[in-house]
């Protein structure tokens, strides 16, 4: 089973980087999904990276929700085979990306809340006049 996952992963890498085949994000994602369906952490990691970069996403826009999903799945997928250290049922592979992405999402949500609060304050202030655009 791990051989199939590794093969799917390597085919995904070939298509995402155009190594010996034309660049094709859709095919790369299909191959990474095949690996991810077998709990292959590197495949899940690439699905997260591609989602963050907007590759294979509608309008090529970043999809942090999907990226969070894949980084979470990757980090809880269990130790990778061949890894000499026991990580207690988790994979260390995606933990860094997961923490960074959580920080970015938290900052974005805090900024959104601040902007909405400022808009509310200004809309209740009768002296406020929006700038001419």
């Amino acid at each position: 089973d791990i051989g199939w996952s590794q093969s799917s992963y390597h085919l995904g890498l070939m298509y995402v980087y155009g190594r010996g085949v034309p660049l094709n994000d859709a095919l790369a994602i299909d191959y990474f999904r095949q690996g991810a369906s077998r709990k292959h952490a590197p495949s899940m990691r690439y699905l997260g990276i591609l989602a963050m970069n907007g590759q294979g996403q509608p309008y090529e826009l970043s999809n942090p929700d999907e990226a969070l999903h894949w980084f979470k799945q990757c980090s809880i997928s269990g130790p990778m085979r061949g890894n000499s250290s026991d990580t207690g049922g988790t994979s260390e592979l995606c933990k860094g990306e997961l923490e960074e992405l959580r920080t970015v999402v938290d900052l974005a949500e805090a900024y959104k809340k601040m902007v909405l609060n400022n808009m509310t304050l200004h809309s209740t202030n009768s002296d406020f006049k929006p700038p001419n655009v």
Side-chain angles (χ1 to χ4, degrees):
D1 196 39
I2 192 71
W4 175 257
S5 300
Q6 285 285 82
S7 297
S8 297
Y9 171 71
H10 287 290
L11 284 167
L13 289 175
M14 289 173 66
Y15 280 102
V16 84
Y17 292 112
R19 303 293 167 110
V21 296
L23 283 170
N24 189 326
D25 289 341
L27 273 176
I29 289 169
D30 284 344
Y31 283 117
F32 290 136
R33 284 187 189 278
Q34 288 176 28
S37 72
R38 290 173 174 76
K39 308 290 185 224
H40 186 253
S43 295
M44 294 176 196
R45 179 176 179 262
Y46 259 90
L47 288 169
I49 290 169
L50 294 173
M52 266 318 290
N53 292 339
Q55 291 169 266
Q57 301 297 314
Y59 307 106
E60 298 293 312
L61 295 175
S62 178
N63 187 340
D65 291 331
E66 185 170 339
L68 269 173
H69 166 78
W70 286 115
F71 289 141
K72 267 187 219 173
Q73 292 302 308
C74 173
S75 69
I76 63 172
S77 67
M80 291 177 46
R81 292 185 192 175
N83 187 353
S84 59
S85 65
D86 183 359
T87 57
T90 62
S91 170
E92 295 294 319
L93 184 64
C94 297
K95 288 202 177 202
E97 282 107 342
L98 179 59
E99 291 307 313
E100 287 177 32
L101 186 55
R102 281 183 176 155
T103 300
V104 168
V105 168
D106 289 346
L107 289 171
E109 287 175 355
Y111 180 76
K112 178 182 171 184
K113 189 180 288 187
M114 181 188 73
V115 168
L116 291 174
N117 284 340
N118 283 339
M119 289 174 62
T120 303
L121 288 174
H122 290 303
S123 67
T124 59
N125 182 351
S126 60
D127 296 335
F128 176 74
K129 295 181 180 146
N132 292 332
V133 179

